[in-house]
Amino acid sequence: MERNKSLELIVGIVVVIGLGVLVYLITQIGGLRPVPSYQLRIVFGSISGITEASPVSYSGVDAGEVRSIRTFFDEEENMSKVEVLVSVRKGLKIQEDAKAYIATLGFLGEKYIDILPGTPGARILDEGEVLVGHDPLLLEWMMAQSGKETLDKLGQTIDALNNTIGDKENQARFGRTLVN
């Protein structure tokens, strides 16, 4: 009986040590080490595909990720907006006039927020401050506009054809041409 308990204790210790080593290896290999960071809020009219954990870059370099997203009503502008809470690497200085855009990795790729530097000498944002984002041009909207323009032109072409073919004199000429 005594021997079974000591064997169980040894097995338990080995399992706990093994799990500790496994967790350590996963964090080292997976790059899951915590990176010191601070949070900023970016306000957009539309975020077009951004989700929590979407990447954030600064001038194209990985800088952090989206932590949370919330909608709110802006009383001053009398419209709904989206606030994105982002976590960026500590030590990264973002000017208050920096520009935040929604960008895409590749043609149909993942959406991310890209922050472009502001002007030299501009005030640096502190933790929790707001950066105004620039709304993306929505591909669906652009396609709808293009489709509407194409349909309008097609309608004009059909109207012109109807006017040409619908004219009695032109119909007579067309009939004579077919007979010849």
Side-chain angles (χ1 to χ4, degrees), residues 37-42 44 50-51 54-57 63-69 83-89 94 100 113 115 127-129 131:
S37 61
Y38 69 102
Q39 296 183 343
L40 292 175
R41 296 177 300 147
I42 305 176
F44 292 96
I50 293 293
T51 60
S54 289
V56 175
S57 68
E65 69 178 13
V66 172
R67 291 293 181 183
S68 67
I69 299 169
E83 179 184 85
V84 180
L85 183 66
V86 299
S87 177
V88 294
R89 255 187 0 260
I94 299 176
I113 296 175
I115 301 172
E127 170 131 10
E129 287 195 295
L131 178 63

Side-chain angles (χ1 to χ4, degrees), residues 82-156:
V82 182
E83 179 184 85
V84 180
L85 183 66
V86 299
S87 177
V88 294
R89 255 187 0 260
K90 243 197 197 349
L92 183 60
K93 307 290 186 203
I94 299 176
Q95 296 95 339
E96 69 180 338
D97 65 344
K99 300 192 178 359
Y101 295 95
I102 307 283
T104 304
L105 294 171
F107 184 65
L108 297 174
E110 176 183 25
K111 302 283 185 166
Y112 69 99
I113 296 175
D114 192 20
I115 301 172
L116 299 177
T119 55
R123 189 179 72 78
I124 303 297
L125 292 174
D126 291 324
E127 170 131 10
E129 287 195 295
V130 175
L131 178 63
V132 177
H134 297 274
D135 293 341
L137 285 176
L138 300 176
L139 181 61
E140 295 85 4
W141 180 82
M142 291 185 335
M143 288 175 64
Q145 286 300 107
S146 176
K148 183 182 179 311
E149 290 171 8
T150 302
L151 286 175
D152 288 346
K153 288 179 182 177
L154 183 60
Q156 291 171 359

Side-chain angles (χ1 to χ4, degrees), residues 60-81:
V61 177
D62 184 35
E65 69 178 13
V66 172
R67 291 293 181 183
S68 67
I69 299 169
R70 77 174 185 92
T71 58
F72 69 98
F73 188 78
D74 186 338
E75 298 288 341
E76 286 181 21
E77 295 188 27
N78 197 32
M79 65 184 296
S80 294
K81 294 199 172 186

